[in-house]
Amino acid sequence: MRNMRGIEIPRFRAVSSGPQTLEQLFGEESCFAAWLNSHENLLKHGIYEPKDFLWHESKDVNQSVWIMAIEDYVTEADTAPYKIIDFPGGMFLVATADENDPEDLNETVNDMMDWIRCSQVFAYGDFPASGMCNMPNPNGKLSKALGIAQQQIFLPLKLLENTE
């Protein structure tokens, strides 16, 4: 598992953007990112890991879903116009690549897929089918200092039938 790690993410409640373009998620005044920034009191924060994930909803890579963990007391009325989902959790293979370097991203994902194929314990999981990602340094200070935009890549895992 050189440069990779296996993790288990527990089930949690999250506010979901629903399928949107990256421009709709990040680029407009009324975008999901702006909504999140103005509703910080509803969001669940970790000690060091962000509690958000982004994935492609289908084979259309121009439509992504971004979710953010929310506090237990939050209701649909609090998150309108966005919906609350139950993120199912699961097992994931995680590695980090430079978001701004497509070659590094592709190489990292290919290495992860090779590891899954050769593991003799895991197969590629079911959700989300595209895998998912997040930025471990959302304020950008560390990324700026390193000169790269670290993106954590999460590929879903499932146990092979003969290992359950």
Side-chain angles (χ1 to χ4, degrees), residues 10-145:
R11 174 182 299 274
F12 65 90
R13 293 174 69 237
V15 59
S16 173
S17 66
Q20 295 187 9
T21 66
L22 292 179
E23 180 68 22
Q24 292 169 319
L25 290 172
F26 300 104
E28 302 171 0
E29 273 186 39
S30 61
C31 69
F32 188 63
W35 186 92
L36 290 172
N37 288 336
S38 67
H39 291 82
E40 284 279 329
N41 61 312
L42 304 178
L43 308 178
K44 190 173 274 193
H45 296 282
I47 295 171
Y48 71 95
E49 285 279 348
K51 299 215 176 194
D52 71 310
F53 297 102
L54 183 129
W55 66 79
H56 302 303
E57 187 65 4
S58 65
K59 293 184 189 240
D60 180 1
V61 296
N62 295 315
Q63 292 285 305
S64 298
V65 172
W66 186 11
I67 65 167
M68 177 69 77
I70 54 174
E71 295 290 349
D72 293 338
Y73 67 84
V74 176
T75 67
E76 291 268 341
D78 297 323
T79 63
Y82 301 105
K83 302 285 185 215
I84 294 175
I85 67 162
D86 285 317
F87 181 80
M91 297 180 297
F92 294 87
L93 183 63
V94 184
T96 303
D98 183 353
E99 178 180 53
N100 296 325
D101 183 347
E103 189 174 307
D104 186 43
L105 283 169
N106 288 334
E107 182 179 333
T108 301
V109 170
N110 288 339
D111 287 350
M112 294 171 79
M113 294 298 289
D114 287 345
W115 185 89
I116 293 169
R117 277 191 291 278
C118 296
S119 74
Q120 299 180 343
V121 177
F122 297 104
Y124 193 87
D126 300 318
F127 179 80
S130 68
M132 57 190 191
C133 66
N134 71 14
M135 302 300 284
N137 307 302
N139 71 13
K141 290 178 187 174
L142 188 60
S143 295
K144 186 174 182 179

